Amino acid sequence: MINIVLFGKPGAGKGTQAEFLKTKYNLTHISTGDVFRYNLKNNTPLGEEARGYMDRGELVPDALTIKMLQDEVEKNPDTAGFLFDGFPRTIAQAEALDAFLVSKGWQVDATVGLEADDEILVQRLLERGKTSGRADDQDENLIRNRYQEYNEKTAPLMEYYNKQGKFHAVDGIGEIAEITNRLSSVIDTLN
Ligand code: ADP
């Protein structure tokens, strides 16, 4: 069992890299953003609760997000491991994840953070917004709001995992394959 947290600002390339890493290491990829968007599209009760926050570029409340994440984990009891993408995003979520994994005899094995300059990322998101159909990628104010949320609530997680000796920063600028290699060299040192 190996559990990896993929960490990074909006637009840092978590989703792109997750596609490669999940195949390479046979991991179950859970993207909380994707799960929320699926629920929005299908107008589920969860989607209705999350919609306003997502439309404003704010984080969805912890209780809702943690419950959703746990449900996704429970759907995959026989997996070789999880690749968490977009979760945890707050200290409360990280603590809940630790406690939840421990209750199963598991743990977070490593957190890999994709690093990139804010201005490059804002441009990437605006570019992605032209084709992705994501409303939160089409408005620069919403993008900036997501960065503010990240700086206030998510950035402290680097220290949280660093204290546990589990944070590894990776340069997120370069060719996609090159970045996959950088992430892989961290994952290959585990176990
Ligand atoms: P990005 O990393 O580009 O902001 P995501 O697809 O990961 O995009 O998330 C989109 C939105 O979904 C976030 O702005 C937030 O509203 C919500 N969301 C996703 N993950 C979480 C989380 N762990 N906690 C709270 N809200 C979340």
Side-chain angles (χ1 to χ4, degrees):
M1 186 73 189
I2 178 170
N3 295 304
I4 311 278
V5 172
L6 202 49
F7 187 83
K9 293 174 185 168
K14 298 186 294 290
T16 304
Q17 293 301 330
E19 288 303 311
F20 293 102
L21 295 174
K22 73 174 187 197
T23 310
K24 185 165 179 186
Y25 295 100
N26 193 24
L27 300 172
T28 302
H29 174 211
I30 301 180
S31 157
T32 44
D34 286 350
V35 181
F36 278 131
R37 278 186 290 278
Y38 174 87
N39 281 280
L40 286 190
K41 204 169 128 208
N42 292 286
N43 298 309
T44 67
L46 175 65
E48 291 315 313
E49 281 196 70
R51 188 182 305 280
Y53 300 99
M54 293 180 71
D55 284 351
R56 291 188 297 272
E58 294 168 11
L59 292 184
V60 176
D62 284 332
L64 197 62
T65 309
I66 290 165
K67 169 78 173 65
M68 179 185 85
L69 188 277
Q70 292 179 344
D71 289 346
E72 291 300 310
V73 169
E74 300 290 6
K75 286 180 193 166
N76 297 279
D78 300 321
T79 186
F82 290 97
L83 183 58
F84 297 107
D85 160 5
F87 185 95
R89 265 173 145 115
T90 63
I91 296 282
Q93 291 179 15
E95 289 172 348
L97 180 63
D98 279 346
F100 179 59
L101 293 180
V102 164
S103 76
K104 297 186 166 296
W106 302 337
Q107 62 167 347
V108 170
D109 293 284
T111 305
V112 278
L114 282 169
E115 304 205 310
D117 180 77
D118 280 15
E119 292 312 311
I120 294 178
L121 295 180
V122 171
Q123 292 315 313
R124 270 195 201 171
L125 289 181
L126 287 169
E127 206 49 46
R128 177 169 88 181
K130 289 180 191 164
T131 53
S132 71
R134 279 182 58 172
D136 62 348
D137 283 346
Q138 291 171 21
D139 178 331
E140 191 161 338
N141 288 328
L142 286 181
I143 293 176
R144 302 257 172 220
N145 203 35
R146 280 149 68 202
Y147 281 97
Q148 197 175 327
E149 288 278 85
Y150 174 91
N151 289 332
E152 279 172 25
K153 298 175 183 166
T154 308
L157 290 178
M158 289 188 268
E159 184 54 25
Y160 178 88
Y161 285 113
N162 209 14
K163 274 193 199 142
Q164 301 182 25
K166 290 181 181 171
F167 186 77
H168 308 266
V170 165
D171 182 2
I173 301 295
E175 295 289 328
I176 289 174
E178 174 58 31
I179 298 168
T180 310
N181 286 339
R182 291 176 199 151
L183 293 165
S184 300
S185 47
V186 174
I187 297 172
D188 289 340
T189 62
L190 304 173
N191 282 335

